[in-house]
Amino acid sequence: MEIKILNKSKHPLPTYKTRGASGVDLHANLDKAVCLKSLDRALIPTGLYVEIPQGYEAQVRARSGLALKKGLSLPNGIGTIDSDYRGELKVIVVNLGRENLVIEDGDRIAQMVIMKIEQADFIEVKELSDSERGEGGFGHTGV
């Protein structure tokens, strides 16, 4: 699959680091460092613009090493980049650590994964069919 990308950043295009990698790293594209205090959030630009093919989305996810070691996470869990979005990719980050976290230009702040998606036709009905689970919700199978 080919993805058209416009790179207005100071950094190289994203690349897969290994043959089995699912995601590519996104780098901060900053004029000056951003300091996040504990629980602070910020919108970090990447300088990248992508054209995702219809039927796909790009998901922006936290980098596990940064989440574990520094507490850097995404407050919205996974960010979605729709196929018809043409603006700059920006990443919402949050510092879940206890210490201040400084993001410098070029730092790897998140990863992007390309996923196939389906659009559903929603059909209004009066009732749903029964299932083994039924209405069992959170914790219904035990702890």
Side-chain angles (χ1 to χ4, degrees):
M1 165 188 304
E2 292 182 351
I3 304 257
K4 294 178 183 176
I5 187 165
L6 178 60
N7 187 358
K8 294 185 179 182
S9 79
K10 303 176 280 288
H11 311 290
L13 289 178
T15 59
Y16 294 96
K17 300 297 184 198
T18 66
R19 286 183 46 189
S22 299
V24 296
D25 290 330
L26 296 176
H27 296 261
N29 191 55
L30 300 169
D31 293 326
K32 64 179 186 171
V34 173
C35 181
L36 295 173
K37 296 177 185 169
S38 182
L39 301 181
D40 275 356
R41 295 177 304 276
L43 186 62
I44 306 295
T46 67
L48 300 176
Y49 301 72
V50 293
E51 187 175 322
I52 305 295
Q54 189 169 355
Y56 292 84
E57 70 167 337
Q59 293 182 354
V60 178
R61 302 176 180 184
R63 295 187 66 241
S64 57
L66 283 175
L68 176 64
K69 296 173 186 171
K70 306 256 182 184
L72 187 66
S73 189
L74 308 182
N76 57 336
I78 294 177
T80 296
I81 303 164
D82 296 309
S83 64
D84 56 353
Y85 177 68
R86 296 295 184 270
E88 181 181 7
L89 302 184
K90 295 181 182 180
V91 180
I92 307 167
V93 296
V94 61
N95 177 7
L96 297 178
R98 293 183 185 100
E99 307 295 324
N100 289 354
L101 176 64
V102 177
I103 299 173
E104 303 276 356
D105 180 53
D107 284 353
R108 297 181 297 167
I109 55 168
Q111 60 182 321
M112 180 173 66
V113 175
I114 306 301
M115 301 289 295
K116 185 161 183 51
I117 57 108
E118 296 287 336
Q119 285 190 335
D121 292 320
F122 294 96
I123 302 167
E124 187 171 7
V125 298
K126 298 290 183 199
E127 61 183 49
L128 301 175
S129 63
D130 290 333
S131 73
E132 183 179 338
R133 179 175 178 171
E135 293 184 23
F138 301 101
H140 81 283
T141 59
V143 178

